[in-house]
Amino acid sequence: LGRVIKVRMVSDVETGKPRGFAFVEFEDPQAALSAIRNMNDYELNGRRLRVNFSNSSHLETLAGQLGMDMTRKDANVSIGGGGGGGNAGGSSVGGGM
Protein backbone atom coordinates (compact mmCIF):
# COMPACT_ATOMS: atom_id res chain seq x y z
CA LEU A 1 0.00 0.00 0.00
CA GLY A 2 2.75 2.44 0.85
CA ARG A 3 5.05 3.58 3.62
CA VAL A 4 3.21 4.27 6.88
CA ILE A 5 4.56 7.21 8.88
CA LYS A 6 2.26 7.13 11.91
CA VAL A 7 -0.76 5.24 13.28
CA ARG A 8 -3.05 6.71 15.95
CA MET A 9 -5.46 4.22 17.49
CA VAL A 10 -8.35 5.97 19.23
CA SER A 11 -9.32 4.82 22.74
CA ASP A 12 -12.13 5.81 25.08
CA VAL A 13 -10.81 8.40 27.53
CA GLU A 14 -12.64 6.94 30.54
CA THR A 15 -12.23 3.20 29.97
CA GLY A 16 -9.07 3.08 27.86
CA LYS A 17 -10.78 0.56 25.56
CA PRO A 18 -10.34 0.88 21.79
CA ARG A 19 -13.14 2.80 20.06
CA GLY A 20 -12.76 0.74 16.89
CA PHE A 21 -11.09 3.21 14.56
CA ALA A 22 -7.68 4.65 13.83
CA PHE A 23 -5.86 7.26 11.76
CA VAL A 24 -2.97 6.20 9.55
CA GLU A 25 -0.54 8.71 8.06
CA PHE A 26 1.17 7.71 4.83
CA GLU A 27 4.30 9.15 3.29
CA ASP A 28 2.49 10.45 0.21
CA PRO A 29 -1.03 10.93 -1.22
CA GLN A 30 -0.65 8.07 -3.72
CA ALA A 31 -0.04 5.63 -0.86
CA ALA A 32 -3.12 6.95 0.96
CA LEU A 33 -5.21 6.53 -2.20
CA SER A 34 -3.87 2.99 -2.61
CA ALA A 35 -4.86 2.16 0.97
CA ILE A 36 -8.39 3.44 0.36
CA ARG A 37 -8.70 1.66 -2.96
CA ASN A 38 -7.39 -1.66 -1.63
CA MET A 39 -8.65 -1.73 1.96
CA ASN A 40 -12.07 -0.06 1.88
CA ASP A 41 -14.78 -2.70 2.29
CA TYR A 42 -12.12 -5.35 3.05
CA GLU A 43 -13.32 -8.02 5.48
CA LEU A 44 -11.18 -8.55 8.58
CA ASN A 45 -12.18 -10.95 11.37
CA GLY A 46 -15.76 -11.02 10.09
CA ARG A 47 -16.13 -7.23 9.93
CA ARG A 48 -15.97 -4.88 6.94
CA LEU A 49 -13.41 -2.11 7.07
CA ARG A 50 -14.35 1.39 6.00
CA VAL A 51 -11.32 3.38 4.92
CA ASN A 52 -11.27 6.97 3.64
CA PHE A 53 -9.51 10.31 4.00
CA SER A 54 -9.76 11.72 7.50
CA ASN A 55 -10.40 15.37 6.70
CA SER A 56 -8.03 16.51 3.99
CA SER A 57 -9.76 18.37 1.18
CA HIS A 58 -6.55 18.57 -0.91
CA LEU A 59 -6.42 14.76 -0.93
CA GLU A 60 -10.09 14.57 -1.87
CA THR A 61 -9.31 16.85 -4.82
CA LEU A 62 -6.46 14.55 -5.86
CA ALA A 63 -8.77 11.54 -5.55
CA GLY A 64 -11.27 13.26 -7.84
CA GLN A 65 -8.55 13.87 -10.41
CA LEU A 66 -7.77 10.15 -10.30
CA GLY A 67 -11.43 9.24 -10.84
CA MET A 68 -12.34 8.33 -7.24
CA ASP A 69 -15.73 9.66 -6.11
CA MET A 70 -15.25 10.84 -2.53
CA THR A 71 -18.57 12.72 -2.37
CA ARG A 72 -20.77 9.64 -1.87
CA LYS A 73 -22.23 9.30 1.61
CA ASP A 74 -20.87 5.76 1.98
CA ALA A 75 -17.38 7.01 1.13
CA ASN A 76 -16.96 9.06 4.31
CA VAL A 77 -14.37 8.06 6.88
CA SER A 78 -14.52 5.55 9.46
CA ILE A 79 -13.03 2.36 10.36
CA GLY A 80 -15.41 1.96 13.21
CA GLY A 81 -17.54 5.07 12.92
CA GLY A 82 -15.04 7.70 13.97
CA GLY A 83 -14.08 10.64 11.89
CA GLY A 84 -12.51 14.03 11.87
CA GLY A 85 -8.83 14.54 12.17
CA GLY A 86 -6.49 15.72 9.55
CA ASN A 87 -2.80 16.19 9.27
CA ALA A 88 -0.38 18.90 8.36
CA GLY A 89 2.26 16.49 7.07
CA GLY A 90 1.90 13.37 4.99
CA SER A 91 -1.42 11.98 3.86
CA SER A 92 -3.90 10.65 6.38
CA VAL A 93 -6.68 8.17 6.13
CA GLY A 94 -9.00 7.12 8.89
CA GLY A 95 -11.24 4.22 9.26
CA GLY A 96 -12.94 1.68 11.42
CA MET A 97 -14.87 -1.53 11.53
Side-chain angles (χ1 to χ4, degrees):
L1 298 175
R3 183 167 179 252
V4 173
I5 295 173
K6 180 166 82 173
V7 175
R8 183 170 64 96
M9 305 261 316
V10 181
S11 300
D12 184 277
V13 177
E14 293 179 17
T15 67
K17 292 182 180 181
R19 293 193 50 203
F21 65 99
F23 296 91
V24 179
E25 184 177 343
F26 289 90
E27 187 172 43
D28 59 68
Q30 292 293 348
L33 286 169
S34 177
I36 292 170
R37 198 171 32 250
N38 292 293
M39 298 301 296
N40 190 43
D41 206 32
Y42 181 84
E43 188 171 323
L44 179 67
N45 295 329
R47 300 178 80 177
R48 293 262 174 217
L49 297 179
R50 286 184 38 191
V51 182
N52 203 332
F53 293 118
S54 58
N55 193 13
S56 303
S57 61
H58 67 286
L59 294 175
E60 291 172 2
T61 299
L62 175 61
Q65 292 171 352
L66 295 174
M68 296 177 71
D69 182 8
M70 305 309 290
T71 61
R72 296 186 341 245
K73 182 179 179 188
D74 65 345
N76 290 331
V77 178
S78 275
I79 295 175
N87 243 318
S91 303
S92 294
V93 295
M97 343 190 255

